[in-house]
Amino acid sequence: MDAEQPTSDRRHSAYTGLRLRIALIVIMVSLAPMVLVSATILYQFNIFSNEMVNAHLGELVLKHKQNIDYFLKQRLNDISHLFRSFDVEQLKDKDFLQQRLKVLQEEYRYVFVDLGLIDQNGRQVAYAGPFELGRADYSGADWFKKAIQRHGFISDVFMGLRGHPHFIVTVRRQWQGAEWLLRATIDFVAFNTLVENLAVGKTGTAFILNREGEFQTRPPAGEPKLTKQQYLNLFKKGEEALGARRPSDGLDLVEEGEAHFLEGYIDRYTQPSSIFSVEKLGEHGDKFIIVAAFLKNNQWLLIFQQEAADAFAKLQETQRMAGLISIIGALAIIGMAFIVSGRMVKRMARLDFEKEMMNQQVIETGKLASVGELAAGIAHEINNPVAIMVEEAGWIQDLMGEGLEQGDNLQEAKRGLQQIETQGRRCKEITHKLLSFARKTDSRVQTLQLNELVTEVASLLSQKSRYANVEVQLRLQPDLPPIQASATEMQQVLMNIFNNAVDAMEKSGGTITVVSRSEEQSIRLSIADTGPGIPASNLGRLFDPFFTTKPVGKGTGLGLSICYGIIHKMGGQIDAESQVGKGTTFHIVLPLTAAAAKH
Amino acid sequence: MAIAKILLVDDEVPFVDTMIKRLTKRGMEVIPAYNGTEALAKLKDQARIEVVILDVKMPGMDGIETLTEIKKAYPLVEVIMLTGHATVESAIDGMKKGAFDYLMKPSDIETLVSKVAEAAAKKRRHEEKIIEAQMREITTRRT
């Protein structure tokens, strides 16, 4: 039992290793393509959706830029139309002007806050609107100086007299040898809505800057907070980015052949390339995307900014989902790999166990078969002395019938009794031999003297070999070290080989020579017969189960395969050499245990 | 004249010796032989042997071989096989090869005697028929 413990441990670790290998292979084979495909798809998707988001933002900004430009141009046109439709004299009338403002407000939903007519000295001649700006003097105002030189003008946002952020649109006209300006104030709130429509996502905000870095709309609420200088840099960056496609500095808007008619916008730069984007890091290291476009003949800059994480929220969500699915999938694969390989290995272990059981059963069967054969031989051997005893008893009865006193009948009867005793002893010898053989039913591994076993088996088969005219010669090395083996199994091996040898020489008779000798780490036992030998074609199949040359019903073909199994289980070797016509020799090499070898 | 002239063939010397005594006592003439070769030699020497009692299992030339040789040389001699349990098959084999009958060893002496008597009778009948046939041939030739 002790000897089997490490074997089962080793087998167990071999099964564990096998299970691990199977699981690893399954995992590798399943995961590698999955990882590759996922990585490729994610990478491509990343690039694609980056482009998509950028294009979308660009489109958005471009659309708003066009809207804002259109809005500004329209307001300028509205005022220009109004100024040309009426005489200055008419417009000087405050009530008339009030009426015109009302019409405009009804038309354009209160985009226009007020209207004012200003003479060339900057004095407001007429005013219509909510503020009391009656005869205001604008001669010192910055916008007036610019506006008086141009046909049309749109100002930056300023506070002005009313103390409110607003911007104005002016149109100049000559009337009766003097220059007149019609001024309209655009509602800051209405204008802001245009820009704030651009708010996208959680963090997307839009605003307008002028070239001085002043906000033309409400400043952005969230990050990133850029300095004025950084905003000014944006103008420079934009001009660099747009490069040659940037509109020229000249205010070359042409309407009715008049150059410099309007300062504030031109049509030609409303093309996609007029958009540029930069990335900035916020205070907390978050990335921000800034998309910008020039407005109002690149005097203003429409800036849209959004946190990158927000802009790419969809993408990141997809990535998270994909990652989660991948991890769950991978875990499932790993789990399955271990479960499946575990089951497989368990099954293999069970099959191995069953095979072992089967081998054990085959050995048992073989043992029974050889016991049967042995029993038949022994019965025959006993039968002869029994027959003699019966006949002697019958003879004595015959003599008694005649009368013992007659002649030398008494003498004869005595001789008969003696013969019966002799034959009885012979029976006893045979049964003792058999008993000593049968007593070794212990299949446990123990210390054995090989020579003893050989002698016993040889004597058991002596009768059989005598009938077959087979002479058994034992040349055993006397001081052979003991071996570790199971007695019954060794008996079985020896019986099988002896029986085969005797059977082979049954017709012709011959000699069996058994030689035992110790070698360095082993004991070699050779059993040679002088039988007909085994043809080379059969020699290779000699130890195969169910291989037999005996007629059906005579041999199972298991004997030598069982011997092979037993010897190999002990760590030994068995082989046969044979020459047709000369005989066959079986060699058995049994290993010596370390202790036995020292001894 | 004895009931029958018998050749007893067995390798067990004490068996043969005792059997001779018992069979002789029952009015038979018994000649011993201790192996197959000896049996054939005795048959050659002693022309009047009628029945052979033959052990199947013998070293050297075994019972079946001896039987074959006997039947080849002396077809009219009847053979009774003696066998142990383990060799009943060989005994049946022997019957096919022309043995008169077989007996299990150890056998009852009276059974053996009656079998021998039967065998001897059969042999004599056989021989008579042959003589008759020969005589008829001679008579037909004359007429």
Side-chain angles (χ1 to χ4, degrees), chain A residues 4 360 363-364 367 439-446 485-490 492 569:
Chain A
E4 278 168 24
Q360 205 59 47
I363 289 176
E364 285 299 319
K367 206 185 280 179
R439 209 177 289 128
K440 289 175 181 162
T441 49
D442 199 348
S443 64
R444 278 184 306 180
V445 173
Q446 53 192 356
S486 145
T488 46
E489 287 181 354
M490 274 316 291
Q492 212 175 338
K569 200 175 77 181

Side-chain angles (χ1 to χ4, degrees), chain A residues 384 392 398 412 415 426, chain B residues 12 18 21 26 60 105:
Chain A
N384 274 334
E392 288 293 351
D398 287 350
E412 189 59 27
R415 191 208 52 80
R426 199 173 143 198
Chain B
E12 293 280 344
T18 312
K21 285 173 198 160
R26 281 164 179 78
K105 221 163 117 179

Side-chain angles (χ1 to χ4, degrees), chain A residues 69-83:
Chain A
D69 265 340
Y70 180 74
F71 176 86
L72 293 175
K73 185 181 166 189
Q74 272 321 109
R75 300 297 82 78
L76 205 53
N77 278 346
D78 292 340
I79 301 304
S80 175
H81 180 74
L82 175 68
F83 207 10

Side-chain angles (χ1 to χ4, degrees), chain B residues 9-64:
Chain B
V9 192
D10 197 316
D11 62 314
E12 293 280 344
V13 181
F15 181 77
V16 174
D17 292 349
T18 312
M19 282 302 278
I20 288 174
K21 285 173 198 160
R22 297 194 76 190
L23 289 171
T24 311
K25 191 176 176 329
R26 281 164 179 78
M28 312 220 174
E29 192 188 339
V30 187
I31 301 160
Y34 299 106
N35 57 54
T37 328
E38 200 186 336
L40 286 169
K42 287 271 165 74
L43 272 170
K44 204 175 172 185
D45 291 347
Q46 315 265 337
R48 293 296 308 160
I49 292 174
E50 290 162 305
V51 179
V52 178
I53 300 173
L54 186 58
D55 188 21
V56 172
K57 198 95 180 174
M58 285 186 298
M61 201 181 191
D62 72 10
I64 300 296

Side-chain angles (χ1 to χ4, degrees), chain A residues 292-359:
Chain A
F294 284 109
L295 284 174
K296 206 177 152 236
N297 202 13
N298 78 29
Q299 287 171 344
W300 288 358
L301 195 60
L302 172 64
I303 294 169
F304 171 81
Q305 61 185 33
Q306 189 176 16
E307 203 178 321
D310 186 24
F312 295 110
K314 269 272 188 284
L315 170 67
Q316 277 167 349
E317 198 183 324
T318 312
Q319 275 172 337
R320 264 200 302 277
M321 280 294 287
L324 199 67
I325 289 169
S326 298
I327 288 168
I328 290 171
L331 285 178
I333 286 171
I334 291 168
M336 279 308 290
F338 272 98
I339 290 170
V340 167
S341 63
R343 276 193 197 153
M344 243 158 86
V345 168
K346 213 169 168 185
R347 212 189 155 95
M348 276 162 71
R350 209 180 58 218
L351 285 178
D352 282 354
F353 178 71
E354 277 170 11
K355 200 176 127 196
E356 202 135 293
M357 288 293 287
M358 194 92 105
N359 278 343

